Amino acid sequence: MALSIPSASARQWKYDVFLSFRGETRHGFVSHLYDELESTGRINTFMDEEKMEVGKAISPNLLMAIEESRLAIVVLSPNYASSPWCLDELTKIHQSMEGRDRILPVFYHVDPSHVRHQLGSYAEAFTNHEEKSRQSNEKFDQWRLALKNVADLSGWDTKNFRSERELVKRIVKFVCNKVLQVPPRPIPFEFKAQPTDDFESTRRARDNLIKALKDNHISAIGVYGRGGVGKTSLVKHVSAQARELGLVNYVIWAVVGLIPEWRNIQGTLADQLSLKFEEETEIGRAARLKERIMGGNNILIVLDDVWEGIDLSSLGIPSYDELQRRNSKLILTSRRMHICYSMECQARIHLDILSEEDSWNLFVEQSGKSFHKSTELYDVARMVARECSGLPLSLIIVARALGDTEIEDWKEAARRVRASQPASPEDGGDPCGCIKLSYDYLRSDDAKSFFLLCCLFPEDYDIPIEDLLKYAIGKGLLQDVKTIQEARATANSVIKSLGTSGLLLDGTKEGCVRMHDVVRDVAVLILLSEDGHRSMVKSGCALRHWPRISLQRGYSAISLMMNDIDRLPEDLVCSELQILLLQKNAGIYEIPETFFQSSNALRVLDISFTNISLLPRSFNILINLQALFLDYCNKLIDISIFRNLKKLEILSMRGFPLQELPKEIEYLTNLRMLDVSGSYTIGIFPYNVMSRLCKLEELYMQCNSGGWGSKIHGGGEETNVGPEEFIGLTHLNIVKLHISDAECLPKTVIHSLSWVNFDICISTELPSRDYSSTPYFSDDHSRTLTLSTTIKSLPDWFINTVTKKAGKLQYLKCKGLENILVEYERGRLHGLKYLAVIGPHKNMEVLMDTITWVPNKPVFENLEELHLLGVSCLKALCLGELPPGSLFKLKSLKLEYCHDLVSAMLPSNLLKSIQNLEKLHCEDMNGMEYVFGSEGLEPEGIILTKLREMILWDLEKLISIWNGPAPNAVFRNLKSMAVSGCKKLKSLFTYDVAECLFHLKDLSVTRCPSLDRVIEPSKEAVNKKIGFPELKILALSYLPHLTRFCSTESATIECPSLEHLHVQDCPHFTTSISDFHSWKQFQVNDLRHLRMSKDMVNIDLAGQHTMDILESLPQNIRKRVEVIREIQRQHDELQTKFFKERAALEAKYQKLYQPLFGKRYMIVNGVVEADGVTTEAAANQEDKSAKDRGVCDFWLNALKNNDMLANQITERDERALKYLKDIKWFRLHNPKGFKLEFYFDTNPFLKNSILTKTYHMIAEDEPQKAVGTEIEWYPAKCLTKRILKEKSKKGLKNSKPLTRTESCESFFNFFSPPQLPEDDADVDEDVAAELKNLKKQDYVIGSIVRYKIIPHAVSWFTGEAF
């Protein structure tokens, strides 16, 4: 009996998809589509029973299924209309779902027009129905209307896809995007709330908030209180608690702020719901957002820091009644009580300040001091705590600021805090004075300056610490350190101290910090009031115009970043200005020529992400500028003017758009940091420029620097910079760059190098991703080396400076790599922590071969991560025994696409070395039969005691996890295990191994068609208990032969901690819910458990590696890439529509062109005259000869007048091409492509009257192959071969001259296109490259004939088309 599991929560639709189809497609296309939809694990699809009796009406159950389905996929096959049941189904679908974008037609080998107008097989079907006269005219009208309407809908047409597999994939992707609105992705909160949970005011507000969340009649809750009282922390804690209690399933969160960016808020909520907007307008996005929220249940929406009333509908949040119907709720936080009333919150919860006693307890805890009642310090401290007015933010900041200071400091603090508070207690406490006090007590000027720099960024912004460092250096801070690296260490220490003091918060992104909005307000006030710091801060304020600047204020800093300013004033008029931040104002296209003429004190200028093209003449005045940022100014055309910036220390030009690095950089002799990373258009690095930057400490050149040392094209004797230039920079300590060839490196260097950190790639191309936890060419300051060569090709100085110090090493398609142990020895890789071998390495059959090279001491003793990807010829990881201590620290091992590795991936000789392994990920290893080898291991042996996560995905030939008996306690600390796509696997564990899975928490098994039991049969298991004491999540899906969880019916399974159980498509699984003996009220078929499932990881992704690529990126970069992917997807959809509409339009006009081309043919070939009179009649009247008719050599001259084609036509070809009468082209549909036809008159060269050239296309402008006519030449007339005569050998009487033929250039070679072999593995690379070039050139010629010559032949004939 199959396990029946109720739905965890009520749904709006019982089925996600209803499939309507004719029987002819059931066992092919529809079956495939159904399987793929179901295999997602999240799409519930209705597919009716296989047989229905003839004459029986459509069943009520079927009609009910249509009404209970969200979408209907209608597969309109050739015989669909011949079934009355299908037509009745379609009519019901049309009536139930019309106008709601819920009907999705698939035109399966039928023309949509045949469906729309009942033509072809659809006409025949209706004729048969009418002849049988079983239906009324009204019924026929309903059928016709349904067919017409469904044919008018946007759907999928099989002729637009290369295969049914591609079509199914596209449909499943679309359905997933449309349907999977539940569950939304829960927001990944990292709660680090203020420690106020045990205080009375917090407890009271928390209890009221939870009570409101439990009340089914309340759907909108307002939480209000003073700034700094802890509203955000409270709501975060309660949100997490509500999820634990099951009050809500998901939490989505957005900060509104004083100046809301509605589009960003919509995007933030959508990201957490896995929603990708297609709409451009806020109204359209709001509709999509609302639809997604209404598709879910028990969603908690939090809008934090609301200052004014919000129109929720324009944002996309459903009304309170609508939220109530979906058991969802809204919480908003605000400093203002009236906001809660104006927003009509049904529950309004006040978070009050702390009581005096609670304030004191918090103050004592945060100060880290002991206070004795009999001391003076106790009385002063109580006074200070009392003056903080019960605000947690103030208490924490002041307590941490005073800490271990002297009694006099405490007294002064008490006086100052008291003076900052309002005269009337009813006015409430103001945290500003407390924050200002904490600022004043900062122990260094650098700490104060860094604090004030932070407020130059927008509210709630993730502030990159690296940006703060660069601004600080530009401003002249951190003068006590000698190098930027030392300054970086000091900056990190300062930032940490500001965090400890409570003045800064951890950022949501790595390497960033944030400011509490109240703290930022105080910092801005300080900037406005203090001499020497006075600043204007209007960042992220949606400004459209340059603000008015008071000449009397004497600003030292102006921050207008992230606005919509489109015009700058003629003159800045700020003589004391030191910092100007204008980045991310995309509307700025021009800087007025006189803009900087009054700003010669400027030290930091950031105009990144603007659209300026030139720097103004007044830029020469900025002689004190020390930090200049021009990142991603993509329209820059000339920056040579900055040669006068003699004091410049930091120059950042990421994404530099020009092809040549400005030679004027050589004048920047004080430059300490140069960053041109991501500037892939740069191809020229002038010689003898880098060597002049003698003070350079950090160089970031991850760009197209492949032409090291080569001559500059068109530059005479001028050459590109060679590596020896930057190698000669003695102060350089951070180097990040790309070198195409190790041969560019000098063999020796004169002086020793002190590169502290580096990220160097020696390869012809950049790797597309890094396979470790840190992205390639990241902003981290680690030691990374990427090679497409072996270490033996590197000079000794490079090994001493780089490889010896490397922490990360990646081999990228390295031809000479054979034994990684040799590389270890040569490169002295003793400190290596991460190693990746990526791509095919033809000579590497064994990763570590101790037979051919015998190590005498531990190898890779510090390695922590090992990743092998696509090492196609790899047959073993290790041969022989590794010395004790080798791989001792290895924690993570990941193998993907190593198809030649067949035997046990981890044999016993290797298992003994990797005892500290924690994670094992094995994916798409098509040949591997076993994961572990047990030969030589004792059954009672203790191995892999630290393994806690194991992922086995798509191991098609995996027979068993262990090759032989497994040590009993091998997986005793395993916590997570996911198995998917292992087609031959019949069980996971033996009974003995299962008995030791004490710590297993998460087990997912899916798409293993041969799996019979999770725990294999064993005599020992009879009448015994098998316990999984910590198992919380169990997922079993698409296991058609699974019968039981355990080996025998008499064995008892105990999973006391089980919280989530998912069983899907396991038709023979007989274990019931109660058989798991959970002590908890657990969720059934709750999709949150699928965290480890490959179906969840890879669904709706563009390729196999997309998820890994995204996860390797920093969060900020990943978000941008996601947005770009969405832009690309929208573009691709539009392009698909464009191609489809263009093809239809092209076909329409092609028909209209034909009569015109026909007239052209008749005139060119003398069939008619220009006035339409036939040439025979004209000849009778004017006595014209045949040779005077038509247009002589029309097509020959048309072809010759095109430069590309002229290069293909020889003098010999011209004699044959004189007989060319016409050229036509036709579009092909199955397979897709086009055909050219060349029509020849009777001639002495070729027997063919028509020569054809057919192009089969993969996609638009992407040819798959080309096929031409085999030309039948008359004897001795072949134009593609040349006959060569050779003298006969001496001494032979009466011998004839020898002849041979060889290929020669000819236009007619066009009909014998180059062919690439299907398997080009054995083809020489140069030959393969040449064939590809010829294939590309051949397609270009065909396209010229199709798009240029045929439609515009007369223009080419006359030369007008030049």
Side-chain angles (χ1 to χ4, degrees):
M1 182 175 94
L3 177 63
S4 176
I5 301 178
S7 175
S9 60
R11 298 186 54 178
Q12 187 174 356
W13 296 279
K14 184 176 181 180
Y15 304 104
D16 296 307
V17 175
F18 179 94
L19 285 177
S20 176
F21 59 94
R22 186 76 168 94
E24 61 187 326
T25 59
R26 177 186 292 277
H27 299 296
F29 173 76
V30 172
S31 178
H32 184 195
L33 176 60
Y34 177 82
D35 290 342
E36 289 298 316
L37 287 169
E38 288 290 298
S39 70
T40 64
R42 301 186 290 175
I43 304 296
N44 190 13
T45 307
F46 180 89
M47 182 174 172
D48 68 358
E49 298 175 1
E50 186 163 352
K51 295 182 180 179
M52 289 187 68
E53 296 179 16
V54 178
K56 186 176 179 180
I58 186 170
S59 69
N61 290 338
L62 208 59
L63 296 175
M64 183 64 69
I66 292 172
E67 293 180 352
E68 294 177 337
S69 296
R70 176 172 186 173
L71 302 175
I73 297 178
V74 183
V75 183
L76 296 157
S77 56
N79 293 319
Y80 183 90
S82 64
S83 167
W85 299 314
C86 288
L87 293 172
D88 283 342
E89 253 181 31
L90 182 62
T91 301
K92 178 63 176 177
I93 291 169
H94 174 244
Q95 293 170 347
S96 301
M97 304 183 180
E98 182 186 12
R100 302 180 193 175
D101 297 326
R102 292 166 56 192
I103 307 174
L104 309 175
V106 179
F107 300 101
Y108 187 79
H109 300 300
V110 296
D111 192 308
S113 65
H114 288 191
V115 178
R116 184 180 296 108
H117 303 298
Q118 291 87 61
L119 304 175
S121 62
Y122 281 66
E124 295 174 5
F126 270 80
T127 300
N128 291 334
H129 292 317
E130 289 168 351
E131 289 176 353
K132 294 176 182 177
S133 300
R134 294 183 178 179
Q135 308 295 342
S136 65
N137 290 334
E138 183 181 358
K139 174 73 74 173
F140 283 126
D141 291 342
Q142 290 176 349
W143 289 352
R144 292 184 187 278
L145 179 62
L147 287 170
K148 178 185 180 301
N149 287 340
V150 76
D152 287 337
L153 297 174
S154 176
W156 299 274
D157 194 333
T158 50
K159 72 173 182 287
N160 294 328
F161 297 87
R162 286 176 290 174
S163 64
E164 289 188 3
R165 179 186 179 87
E166 182 186 349
L167 172 59
V168 168
K169 185 177 179 181
R170 184 73 61 84
I171 296 172
V172 172
K173 180 178 179 179
F174 178 87
V175 171
C176 287
N177 280 335
K178 195 168 184 69
V179 169
L180 295 182
Q181 301 176 0
V182 183
R185 185 171 73 250
I187 188 168
F189 283 136
E190 295 289 341
F191 291 144
K192 295 182 180 179
Q194 298 166 352
T196 59
D197 288 349
D198 296 328
F199 304 133
E200 177 58 32
S201 61
T202 308
R203 277 198 305 270
R204 184 167 58 249
R206 181 191 60 204
D207 293 344
N208 289 336
L209 188 49
I210 291 176
K211 181 180 178 182
L213 288 172
K214 289 180 178 180
D215 192 333
N216 293 330
H217 300 291
I218 294 176
S219 53
I221 306 165
V223 178
Y224 64 96
R226 297 174 191 162
V229 78
K231 301 180 294 296
T232 300
S233 298
L234 170 69
V235 174
K236 283 186 176 181
H237 273 295
V238 171
S239 298
Q241 188 177 356
R243 288 184 60 201
E244 291 295 324
L245 294 173
L247 299 178
V248 298
N249 290 336
Y250 311 101
V251 181
I252 59 176
W253 186 293
V255 178
V256 178
L258 181 60
I259 304 175
E261 289 285 346
W262 300 118
R263 194 175 183 85
N264 291 341
I265 294 170
Q266 287 175 328
T268 300
L269 296 174
D271 284 346
Q272 297 164 63
L273 292 165
S274 300
L275 171 63
K276 304 301 178 186
F277 285 126
E278 299 175 359
E279 297 77 11
E280 286 299 321
T281 65
E282 288 184 7
I283 295 175
R285 291 157 64 95
R288 280 289 306 285
L289 182 59
K290 178 178 178 180
E291 182 185 9
R292 178 60 60 91
I293 294 173
M294 288 302 293
N297 283 292
N298 294 329
I299 300 174
L300 177 59
I301 306 164
V302 180
L303 298 180
D304 190 25
D305 195 21
V306 179
W307 288 75
E308 300 292 344
I310 300 173
D311 181 359
L312 295 176
S313 61
S314 64
L315 186 60
I317 295 176
S319 69
Y320 298 159
D321 289 340
E322 290 171 324
L323 287 174
Q324 190 173 16
R325 290 200 294 271
R326 307 309 301 157
N327 298 319
S328 297
K329 295 181 185 292
L330 170 72
I331 295 178
L332 61 86
T333 71
S334 179
R335 299 185 192 182
R336 305 173 178 181
M337 180 176 64
H338 79 269
I339 296 296
C340 300
Y341 281 93
S342 66
M343 293 295 295
E344 299 180 356
C345 295
Q346 295 137 337
R348 294 172 290 278
I349 297 169
H350 181 217
L351 179 56
D352 204 351
I353 60 175
L354 303 185
S355 66
E356 182 174 344
E357 199 57 36
D358 284 344
S359 296
W360 173 246
N361 292 334
L362 176 60
F363 187 86
V364 171
E365 179 186 335
Q366 293 298 307
S367 69
K369 293 179 68 70
S370 296
F371 299 95
H372 302 289
K373 290 186 177 181
S374 58
T375 63
E376 183 183 11
L377 180 61
Y378 173 83
D379 295 331
V380 175
R382 290 289 304 217
M383 185 187 305
V384 172
R386 192 179 304 115
E387 295 300 336
C388 289
S389 304
L391 292 173
L393 180 65
S394 300
L395 289 160
I396 292 170
I397 287 177
V398 172
R400 292 179 181 179
L402 293 173
D404 55 357
T405 57
E406 301 296 329
I407 182 65
E408 295 303 322
D409 295 317
W410 283 82
K411 290 180 179 179
E412 175 63 15
R415 184 193 66 77
R416 291 183 54 184
V417 172
R418 186 187 312 117
S420 70
Q421 299 304 317
S424 173
E426 286 75 17
D427 292 339
D430 184 357
C432 294
C434 299
I435 297 170
K436 178 64 165 61
L437 175 73
S438 181
Y439 166 80
D440 290 337
Y441 271 75
L442 291 173
R443 299 187 179 185
S444 71
D445 290 337
D446 283 341
K448 292 180 178 180
S449 296
F450 268 86
F451 173 73
L452 297 177
L453 282 175
C454 288
C455 78
L456 299 179
F457 292 84
E459 186 176 308
D460 295 309
Y461 191 77
D462 279 297
I463 306 165
I465 297 174
E466 194 70 10
D467 286 359
L468 292 174
L469 168 68
K470 295 172 186 176
Y471 291 170
I473 293 174
K475 191 182 178 187
L477 306 179
L478 307 173
Q479 291 292 320
D480 297 334
V481 296
K482 295 180 180 180
T483 67
I484 294 178
Q485 186 70 344
E486 291 177 0
R488 184 174 286 111
T490 301
N492 285 328
S493 176
V494 169
I495 295 297
K496 184 176 180 181
S497 69
L498 290 171
T500 303
S501 69
L503 292 175
L504 290 182
L505 305 172
D506 289 339
T508 61
K509 303 172 184 176
E510 188 176 354
C512 295
V513 292
R514 289 184 303 115
M515 294 188 97
H516 190 287
D517 55 349
V518 176
V519 175
R520 180 178 180 272
D521 292 343
V522 175
V524 171
L525 289 173
I526 294 172
L527 282 178
L528 288 173
S529 59
E530 287 198 355
D531 292 335
H533 289 302
R534 191 170 291 127
S535 306
M536 172 184 283
V537 181
K538 292 184 179 294
S539 52
C541 294
L543 292 180
R544 294 185 176 275
H545 305 289
W546 185 267
R548 178 173 296 179
I549 295 177
S550 172
L551 298 179
Q552 287 75 34
R553 300 304 297 248
Y555 293 125
S556 66
I558 294 177
S559 177
L560 301 173
M561 69 172 82
M562 298 181 65
N563 282 300
D564 300 315
I565 297 171
D566 58 4
R567 182 175 297 179
L568 301 180
E570 291 297 321
D571 190 351
L572 187 54
V573 195
C574 283
S575 59
E576 299 177 14
L577 189 66
Q578 294 185 1
I579 299 177
L580 177 60
L581 307 180
L582 298 176
Q583 65 265 38
K584 297 186 179 179
N585 280 278
I588 298 178
Y589 282 80
E590 181 183 10
I591 301 178
E593 289 296 332
T594 57
F595 182 72
F596 292 112
Q597 67 182 8
S598 304
S599 306
N600 60 351
L602 196 65
R603 300 171 66 100
V604 178
L605 174 62
D606 196 336
I607 47 178
S608 303
F609 296 95
T610 60
N611 281 302
I612 63 168
S613 56
L614 294 170
L615 297 175
R617 285 194 300 270
S618 59
F619 207 76
N620 281 320
I621 298 173
L622 305 180
I623 57 175
N624 292 303
L625 195 66
Q626 297 199 21
L628 174 61
F629 302 86
L630 298 168
D631 299 338
Y632 300 98
C633 292
N634 295 324
K635 290 189 166 42
L636 270 178
I637 58 176
D638 184 14
I639 56 173
S640 57
I641 198 169
F642 63 33
R643 64 187 297 168
N644 291 331
L645 307 181
K646 305 293 186 181
K647 293 184 179 180
L648 196 66
E649 296 186 5
I650 295 175
L651 176 58
S652 183
M653 301 189 298
R654 297 186 181 193
F656 187 67
L658 303 184
Q659 296 182 359
E660 180 176 355
L661 190 70
K663 197 173 187 303
E664 288 73 16
I665 285 179
E666 66 181 332
Y667 297 102
L668 308 180
T669 52
N670 282 301
L671 203 63
R672 300 170 67 193
M673 178 191 292
L674 174 61
D675 189 350
V676 290
S677 54
S679 305
Y680 297 108
T681 59
I682 298 181
I684 299 175
F685 295 81
Y687 188 75
N688 207 23
V689 170
M690 300 294 298
S691 59
R692 294 174 183 262
L693 307 180
C694 56
K695 294 185 179 180
L696 198 65
E697 299 175 30
E698 300 188 2
L699 175 62
Y700 303 87
M701 289 182 65
Q702 300 105 323
C703 51
N704 183 25
S705 50
W708 292 98
S710 62
K711 283 191 176 183
I712 297 174
H713 180 69
E717 295 300 315
E718 193 175 359
T719 61
N720 258 328
V721 62
E724 66 277 359
E725 284 204 34
F726 71 81
I727 290 170
L729 299 173
T730 56
H731 290 89
L732 202 61
N733 55 48
I734 292 183
V735 182
K736 298 194 176 187
L737 74 162
H738 175 209
I739 302 172
S740 61
D741 192 342
E743 292 297 320
C744 297
L745 296 171
K747 302 303 179 185
T748 59
V749 295
I750 298 174
H751 57 273
S752 62
L753 303 176
S754 56
W755 295 351
V756 177
N757 291 306
F758 49 81
D759 195 340
I760 299 175
C761 175
I762 302 179
S763 173
T764 55
E765 60 182 45
L766 290 174
S768 59
R769 61 173 183 173
D770 176 22
Y771 297 91
S772 68
S773 55
T774 306
Y776 181 77
F777 281 158
S778 60
D779 286 332
D780 74 316
H781 298 279
S782 59
R783 299 174 175 182
T784 300
L785 176 62
T786 299
L787 297 174
S788 287
T789 185
T790 56
I791 293 178
K792 68 180 180 181
S793 66
L794 303 175
D796 290 339
W797 71 264
F798 190 87
I799 292 173
N800 289 327
T801 305
V802 178
T803 60
K804 178 181 175 181
K805 300 177 182 178
K808 298 178 182 179
L809 174 59
Q810 300 180 102
Y811 287 96
L812 182 65
K813 300 179 182 179
C814 181
K815 292 182 181 179
L817 191 62
E818 295 183 7
N819 186 353
I820 203 71
L821 298 180
V822 176
E823 295 289 287
Y824 170 85
E825 179 67 14
R826 168 66 176 155
R828 286 170 273 174
L829 304 174
H830 306 291
L832 197 67
K833 293 185 177 182
Y834 169 78
L835 173 64
V837 183
I838 304 163
H841 298 72
K842 295 183 179 179
N843 300 320
M844 176 172 278
E845 294 188 357
V846 180
L847 182 68
M848 294 174 286
D849 188 348
T850 65
I851 306 299
T852 59
W853 188 86
V854 182
N856 54 16
K857 55 186 177 181
V859 295
F860 295 111
E861 60 271 31
N862 288 302
L863 193 69
E864 297 180 4
E865 289 186 61
L866 175 60
H867 189 177
L868 306 177
L869 174 74
V871 190
S872 53
C873 53
L874 187 70
K875 296 181 179 178
L877 294 185
C878 183
L879 280 184
E881 297 286 339
L882 293 173
S886 300
L887 299 174
F888 178 75
K889 294 184 179 180
L890 189 68
K891 296 179 180 179
S892 176
L893 176 60
K894 188 172 184 178
L895 280 83
E896 299 177 84
Y897 301 98
C898 301
H899 299 310
D900 284 359
L901 205 159
V902 176
S903 56
M905 181 180 76
L906 296 175
S908 56
N909 62 328
L910 187 55
L911 285 174
K912 296 173 184 177
S913 297
I914 55 174
Q915 288 302 297
N916 289 306
L917 190 69
E918 296 178 5
K919 296 181 180 181
L920 176 62
H921 185 132
C922 189
E923 182 175 356
D924 281 292
M925 308 277 284
N926 292 341
M928 193 177 73
E929 296 178 345
Y930 305 97
V931 180
F932 305 101
S934 59
E935 184 178 355
L937 295 177
E938 298 294 330
E940 303 301 324
I942 306 299
I943 64 169
L944 298 177
T945 56
K946 295 186 178 180
L947 186 66
R948 55 186 175 82
E949 182 178 300
M950 182 160 54
I951 295 176
L952 307 175
W953 283 347
D954 291 338
L955 312 179
E956 294 187 354
K957 295 185 179 180
L958 186 70
I959 299 172
S960 176
I961 294 176
W962 281 90
N963 182 11
N968 296 341
V970 64
F971 297 141
R972 65 183 183 183
N973 286 309
L974 188 67
K975 293 183 178 181
S976 300
M977 183 172 184
V979 182
S980 178
C982 300
K983 297 181 178 179
K984 293 187 176 182
L985 192 64
K986 294 185 176 181
S987 63
L988 294 189
F989 313 112
T990 63
Y991 174 76
D992 293 332
V993 171
E995 271 194 316
C996 298
L997 296 174
F998 305 122
H999 300 292
L1000 187 65
K1001 297 178 182 292
D1002 188 342
L1003 177 60
S1004 171
V1005 189
T1006 181
R1007 297 191 299 113
C1008 298
S1010 300
L1011 195 80
D1012 175 56
R1013 314 282 172 95
V1014 176
I1015 302 170
E1016 70 180 41
S1018 171
K1019 293 181 180 178
E1020 291 82 1
V1022 177
N1023 297 323
K1024 286 190 175 183
K1025 291 182 180 179
I1026 299 180
F1028 300 92
E1030 295 185 14
L1031 187 65
K1032 293 184 176 181
I1033 301 170
L1034 175 61
L1036 304 169
S1037 59
Y1038 312 106
L1039 307 172
H1041 290 97
L1042 181 68
T1043 56
R1044 296 192 60 78
F1045 185 81
C1046 193
S1047 51
T1048 63
E1049 295 185 9
S1050 56
T1052 303
I1053 313 164
E1054 290 192 349
C1055 304
S1057 303
L1058 192 64
E1059 295 179 359
H1060 303 283
L1061 173 65
H1062 178 83
V1063 179
Q1064 182 175 357
D1065 277 359
C1066 302
H1068 303 294
F1069 190 56
T1070 57
T1071 306
S1072 66
I1073 295 175
S1074 59
D1075 289 338
F1076 290 98
H1077 297 93
S1078 175
W1079 298 349
K1080 297 192 175 184
Q1081 183 73 31
F1082 61 88
Q1083 299 285 333
V1084 179
N1085 278 6
D1086 181 358
L1087 293 171
R1088 275 180 289 175
H1089 65 281
L1090 288 178
R1091 179 181 62 85
M1092 295 283 290
S1093 169
K1094 186 174 185 182
D1095 297 310
M1096 293 295 286
V1097 173
N1098 283 343
I1099 192 166
D1100 196 24
L1101 296 182
Q1104 292 287 344
H1105 300 301
T1106 304
M1107 200 64 184
D1108 287 338
I1109 294 172
L1110 292 176
E1111 288 181 352
S1112 75
L1113 298 172
Q1115 188 176 356
N1116 58 335
I1117 302 298
R1118 189 189 317 166
K1119 186 173 181 180
R1120 295 169 195 156
V1121 173
E1122 287 285 7
V1123 173
I1124 296 171
R1125 289 179 68 216
E1126 173 60 18
I1127 293 170
Q1128 182 64 49
R1129 188 191 65 75
Q1130 293 177 22
H1131 168 272
D1132 292 346
E1133 285 188 359
L1134 288 175
Q1135 190 176 54
T1136 300
K1137 292 179 181 178
F1138 164 69
F1139 287 147
K1140 187 175 181 180
E1141 292 177 11
R1142 186 177 77 174
L1145 201 61
E1146 197 174 60
K1148 172 184 175 182
Y1149 279 91
Q1150 194 65 19
K1151 292 179 181 179
L1152 299 176
Y1153 294 150
Q1154 293 312 311
L1156 302 178
F1157 292 158
K1159 290 180 182 178
R1160 181 179 69 186
Y1161 170 85
M1162 288 190 287
I1163 294 174
V1164 166
N1165 293 286
V1167 179
V1168 299
E1169 287 294 348
D1171 56 6
V1173 179
T1174 62
T1175 53
E1176 288 80 2
N1180 292 335
Q1181 294 174 13
E1182 301 179 18
D1183 194 24
K1184 288 185 178 179
S1185 63
K1187 66 179 182 180
D1188 292 329
R1189 301 173 189 169
V1191 182
C1192 185
D1193 299 341
F1194 177 82
W1195 288 103
L1196 169 62
N1197 288 316
L1199 295 173
K1200 284 176 61 179
N1201 283 337
N1202 180 278
D1203 289 341
M1204 185 77 175
L1205 298 179
N1207 290 332
Q1208 310 296 317
I1209 299 173
T1210 67
E1211 290 184 9
R1212 299 172 69 214
D1213 294 331
E1214 290 185 23
R1215 290 179 290 166
L1217 289 173
K1218 287 177 178 287
Y1219 295 93
L1220 185 58
K1221 297 164 57 179
D1222 201 7
I1223 310 176
K1224 298 180 180 180
W1225 79 272
F1226 304 92
R1227 179 179 290 278
L1228 305 177
H1229 297 287
N1230 192 16
K1232 291 193 295 185
F1234 65 93
K1235 180 169 69 171
L1236 301 173
E1237 292 185 349
F1238 293 73
Y1239 292 79
F1240 285 85
D1241 205 348
T1242 304
N1243 65 84
F1245 293 93
L1246 58 151
K1247 300 177 182 179
N1248 314 67
S1249 60
I1250 303 176
L1251 298 182
T1252 65
K1253 181 68 170 288
T1254 304
Y1255 290 92
H1256 299 293
M1257 308 298 291
I1258 296 174
E1260 195 74 20
D1261 292 330
E1262 187 178 352
Q1264 182 181 32
K1265 65 177 182 177
V1267 180
T1269 302
E1270 182 177 351
I1271 303 177
E1272 298 180 44
W1273 299 101
Y1274 284 109
K1277 294 294 185 179
C1278 179
L1279 299 175
T1280 60
K1281 303 286 185 182
R1282 180 182 289 110
I1283 300 175
L1284 300 178
K1285 294 183 179 181
E1286 298 178 352
K1287 293 181 179 180
S1288 60
K1289 292 183 179 179
K1290 293 182 179 180
L1292 295 177
K1293 295 181 179 180
N1294 302 321
S1295 62
K1296 297 181 179 179
L1298 300 176
T1299 62
R1300 63 182 177 87
T1301 61
E1302 69 174 8
S1303 299
C1304 63
E1305 292 184 357
S1306 171
F1307 172 80
F1308 290 94
N1309 286 324
F1310 176 65
F1311 299 98
S1312 300
Q1315 300 294 334
L1316 287 172
E1318 293 185 5
D1319 184 6
D1320 59 353
D1322 299 325
V1323 179
D1324 182 78
E1325 289 185 6
D1326 293 336
V1327 174
E1330 178 65 20
L1331 285 172
K1332 288 179 180 178
N1333 286 334
L1334 289 174
K1335 181 181 176 182
K1336 182 177 180 181
Q1337 181 178 333
D1338 175 78
Y1339 175 68
V1340 170
I1341 293 172
S1343 298
I1344 289 173
V1345 174
R1346 173 186 172 181
Y1347 291 113
K1348 294 186 176 181
I1349 303 299
I1350 295 176
H1352 309 292
V1354 70
S1355 298
W1356 289 102
F1357 175 80
T1358 62
E1360 295 171 274
F1362 291 168

